[in-house]
Amino acid sequence: MTPAQSAAKLPAPVAARGGLSLRRAAPALLAAVVLALPVLPVPEFWITQLDYIGLYAIAVLGVVLLTGVGGLTSFGQAAFVGLGAYTTAVLTTQFALSPWITLFASLAVAGAVALLLAFLTLRMSGHYLPLATICWGLALYYLMGNLDGLGKYDGIVAIPALSVFGLELRDNRSLFWVIWAVALAAAFGVTRLLDSRPGRAIRALRCGTTMPEAMGISTFRYKVAIFVLSALLAAVSGWLFAHFQRAINPSPFGMHMGIQYLFMAVLGGAGQVWGAFAGAAAVKLLEDRLQVWLPQLLGTSGSFEIIVFGAVLIATLRFAPRGIWHWVERRWPAPQRVRDWGEAEALAPRARPEPASAGKVDAEIALHGALGQTDAPADRAPLLAAKDLRKQFGGLVAVKDVGFSIGHGEIVGLIGPNGAGKSTTFNLLTGVLPATSGEVTFMGRRIEKAKSREIAALGIARSFQHVKMVPEMTVLENVALGAHLRGGSGIARAILGLDRADERRLLREAERQLLRIGMGHLMHEQAGNLALGPQRLMEIARALCLDPALLLLDEPAAGLRHQEKLALVEVLRQLRAEGMSLLLVEHDMDFVMGLTDRIVVMEFGTKLIEGTPEEVRNSPAVRAAYLGTEH
């Protein structure tokens, strides 16, 4: 499919097909209804219930962002709520500071503690991070309960009420507007964040670190960011809670509440912003009803609702792992993104470091590129060169003293039987694995010890043998991940909605690359719904968004139909004509032989032969490696 044909299949903007959908208008309608409740004849009990739901939802939003979206399980959210509550309680009762001033103090204390804990714990993996957050939550709980200055387990009383323009907000109805204004503002802010350049990086964290780092994303930085942001949301909830209750003690900030916040997120929909509200409402209302029903049913009092919650959680994980909000999503699907970024024009080439030998043959390079020639000048250094590259895993030598080069505007194939060391070599070139010894130079710079994101910043992009993507994101959003280094908006600008111009540029570039490979008509499809072949093409489009000088493709033709392979060949030849260099690891010999300029053959971790496709095809050593015989 040509780019023109693909563009013809682009869906029309949503607004042009009938205006805003009910789903698009639902958040604004919900906000209007909720904020109007205190002036309506609603019983005081329900106002109080909604106050608690709003307070819980603010804290659970942090759990959704950290655990549901970012994939970092934390049981310590209640401890950060306690930090916010105790900070404002101490400063307003013992130092007579204004509650509005103590809001910033609560945020500062929670943020500083979260930053410290993030650097101590977020490098942990597996079960160590949840265990670390449990230890942190327990430590703070017992600290609050044993310090005289914090009132020990009796807590702090006589916390002043909030006041606005001299009017004290002492009753639940007046505080309702403050609580829900904050809760809705936080929800809209997190929604904007997730639909942005940093938001896509955060959503990619659940897929591990290999793919995001290859796109130039600092995964540790974003883990720290969402950990701190989650703590700040909890601190705001705690600050409001202290002035809502007017008295606090350690009990609401114990480990049981940390588990309950996590339960709310899972029940509502761990990866859904509005699932935080659904989960908070379900747990709060069910808890109140169970406290009435269970004593009547069992004839005795006790915390039997905890048993029921455990059963509900198990049932949710078994039968509805995506939570309550997923049912809403299925009934009222999210509207398709409005295409508001104009024509699919190219971004300006991404700035990257100059070659170490820049200025030597610039005029000659420009001439060869203009003529479409693929042979580099004789005195020109190769774009990438590997020398005596070696990788050992203990006593196993996976790659042994391999060396080859890739010239400017050249397509090189890397082939060999299974277990030959191709993928290991590929990972050494892209920073996924550090070399045991040897050298890799790119544009005159040593990169064998560089990290994946540093290599990406220099201008090397890659695909993966096993497709790596974010299944829940659309094809367009997955491809836009590749343009991460070409944008500049951060988390604060995304939350405030100040990044829209930058977003339009990145989405325009993602659409351009999809059109380039004939997938423009699928840009709004969820990536997880694609077959393997289109997923591989999507990965290539994502890599092209990086604007690389060198493109490394790991089995790009695997899973493609014949016509798709022919289209891919044309795309790769066009990239070479534009001056891009390519390295292909591939098992499809017809694909490799008809496309590459040179081929490197590996066997048992060593380089067997290097030559033109014809030389490799006629080599007895290559036939022996593949067939086990030289005849």
Side-chain angles (χ1 to χ4, degrees):
M1 181 179 292
T2 66
Q5 292 171 329
S6 186
K9 290 192 174 185
L10 285 176
V14 174
R17 299 202 309 266
L20 295 175
S21 67
L22 175 62
R23 174 66 190 278
R24 192 181 297 281
L29 293 173
L30 173 65
V33 170
V34 168
L35 294 177
L37 284 176
V39 298
L40 300 176
V42 178
E44 195 70 23
F45 172 78
W46 288 108
I47 294 294
T48 302
Q49 292 290 82
L50 287 169
D51 283 341
Y52 278 111
I53 291 170
L55 289 170
Y56 290 159
I58 296 170
V60 177
L61 273 173
V63 180
V64 166
L65 182 63
L66 182 65
T67 302
V69 177
L72 304 175
T73 304
S74 172
F75 293 94
Q77 191 74 343
F80 287 114
V81 176
L83 270 182
Y86 268 93
T87 300
T88 190
V90 169
L91 293 179
T92 53
T93 58
Q94 298 181 21
F95 298 94
L97 293 181
S98 165
W100 296 104
I101 294 176
T102 64
L103 170 59
F104 298 101
S106 295
L107 291 172
V109 170
V113 172
L115 194 61
L116 174 63
L117 289 172
F119 279 101
L120 291 175
T121 62
L122 290 185
R123 296 189 189 278
M124 299 178 181
S125 60
H127 57 274
Y128 292 106
L129 177 60
L131 287 175
T133 61
I134 289 174
C135 294
W136 143 246
L138 289 172
L140 188 65
Y141 173 74
Y142 286 111
L143 182 68
M144 291 185 295
N146 287 280
L147 287 181
D148 291 328
L150 300 182
K152 293 191 174 183
Y153 287 101
D154 292 329
I156 300 174
V157 298
I159 300 172
L162 293 178
S163 61
V164 178
F165 302 115
L167 176 65
E168 287 194 344
L169 308 179
R170 290 183 171 273
D171 61 279
N172 294 344
R173 284 183 182 269
S174 58
L175 274 171
F176 179 93
W177 279 303
V178 177
I179 293 171
W180 276 90
V182 171
L184 293 173
F188 287 123
V190 173
T191 300
R192 281 196 294 263
L193 170 61
L194 295 179
D195 185 27
S196 69
R197 170 184 175 267
R200 287 187 290 273
I202 292 167
R203 293 160 74 183
L205 294 177
R206 289 186 64 88
C207 302
T209 61
T210 303
M211 183 271 285
E213 290 278 339
M215 299 299 109
I217 296 167
S218 174
T219 53
F220 181 71
R221 174 190 170 194
Y222 279 105
K223 286 178 181 180
V224 171
I226 60 175
F227 192 85
V228 172
L229 186 54
S230 175
L232 295 179
L233 288 168
V236 171
S237 177
W239 176 78
L240 285 168
F241 180 81
H243 295 286
F244 173 71
Q245 291 281 87
R246 307 284 302 281
I248 59 170
N249 61 68
S251 180
F253 316 122
M255 184 50 56
H256 71 286
M257 277 306 300
I259 296 172
Q260 194 157 314
Y261 285 134
L262 192 59
F263 175 51
M264 292 177 188
V266 172
L267 184 61
Q272 303 288 338
V273 170
W274 298 104
F277 292 84
V283 170
K284 178 58 181 173
L285 298 178
L286 182 60
E287 181 181 42
D288 287 343
R289 289 296 86 201
L290 289 175
Q291 288 175 349
V292 175
W293 293 338
L294 290 179
Q296 295 176 352
L297 181 64
L298 301 175
T300 182
S301 60
S303 299
F304 294 108
E305 64 273 10
I306 302 298
I307 300 173
V308 177
F309 282 154
V312 171
L313 178 58
I314 293 171
T316 301
L317 293 173
R318 173 62 181 85
F319 299 107
R322 300 181 66 177
I324 295 171
W325 197 254
H326 178 58
W327 295 342
V328 178
E329 291 277 357
R330 290 177 60 184
R331 188 172 181 85
W332 293 291
Q336 182 176 289
R337 179 189 294 276
V338 176
R339 186 178 176 278
D340 61 352
W341 51 84
E343 296 303 317
E345 301 171 353
L347 278 176
R350 183 174 61 83
R352 62 170 65 92
E354 290 294 327
S357 58
K360 183 178 179 182
V361 288
D362 286 347
E364 195 169 0
I365 294 169
L367 175 62
H368 277 252
L371 296 176
Q373 297 176 7
T374 61
D375 293 329
D379 64 339
R380 188 180 181 198
L383 182 67
L384 180 139
K387 179 182 179 183
D388 297 328
L389 200 57
R390 187 182 187 92
K391 181 61 182 178
Q392 291 184 222
F393 298 96
L396 173 65
V397 181
V399 174
K400 183 179 180 181
D401 304 329
V402 169
F404 61 91
S405 64
I406 302 172
H408 296 260
E410 185 179 29
I411 301 180
V412 175
L414 182 63
I415 67 172
N418 290 333
K422 305 183 301 297
S423 295
T424 303
T425 302
F426 198 89
N427 287 331
L428 292 174
L429 298 178
T430 54
V432 174
L433 294 172
T436 303
S437 62
E439 297 180 6
V440 180
T441 58
F442 176 70
M443 299 172 71
R445 288 177 168 80
R446 296 278 296 273
I447 63 170
E448 69 272 5
K449 300 296 183 184
K451 298 178 180 177
S452 292
R453 65 177 180 276
E454 296 168 345
I455 292 175
L458 290 173
I460 298 179
R462 65 163 296 175
S463 67
F464 296 87
Q465 181 179 7
H466 304 289
V467 176
K468 295 184 184 298
M469 61 177 182
V470 186
E472 297 80 14
M473 292 193 337
T474 65
V475 171
L476 182 73
E477 291 170 329
N478 270 278
V479 172
L481 270 174
H484 184 83
L485 289 173
R486 305 179 74 180
S489 295
I491 288 177
R493 288 180 60 82
I495 291 174
L496 297 173
L498 302 176
D499 65 332
R500 294 301 95 183
D502 191 44
E503 268 297 282
R504 285 192 289 271
R505 286 193 294 270
L506 297 184
L507 294 175
R508 183 188 300 125
E509 177 65 10
E511 180 193 41
R512 188 178 79 90
Q513 299 301 343
L514 284 168
L515 290 170
R516 193 178 195 178
I517 63 170
M519 284 186 64
H521 61 294
L522 293 174
M523 69 177 182
H524 295 300
E525 184 68 46
Q526 198 172 58
N529 295 339
L530 297 180
L532 178 59
Q535 285 180 357
R536 290 196 177 279
L537 293 174
M538 178 186 70
E539 270 205 323
I540 295 173
R542 184 180 65 198
L544 291 175
C545 267
L546 189 68
D547 186 29
L550 174 61
L551 179 61
L552 283 72
L553 302 178
D554 198 349
E555 298 191 22
L560 298 186
R561 296 187 294 269
H562 179 67
Q563 291 300 320
E564 291 173 330
K565 288 182 183 180
L566 294 179
L568 178 59
V569 167
E570 291 304 314
V571 169
L572 298 183
R573 284 176 175 164
Q574 179 62 35
L575 295 176
R576 176 178 58 183
E578 294 171 4
M580 188 180 298
S581 302
L582 296 97
L583 174 66
L584 307 179
V585 174
E586 185 55 69
H587 287 288
D588 188 327
M589 289 297 101
D590 291 335
F591 184 85
V592 174
M593 295 293 177
L595 180 63
T596 57
D597 301 305
R598 285 187 298 114
I599 296 176
V600 177
V601 184
M602 293 186 65
E603 182 184 27
F604 300 122
T606 63
K607 186 173 79 171
L608 180 64
I609 188 175
E610 178 179 354
T612 65
E614 190 64 24
E615 290 170 341
V616 169
R617 190 193 307 271
N618 296 326
S619 169
V622 173
R623 288 199 297 271
Y626 275 92
L627 303 177
T629 176
E630 296 187 7
H631 302 290

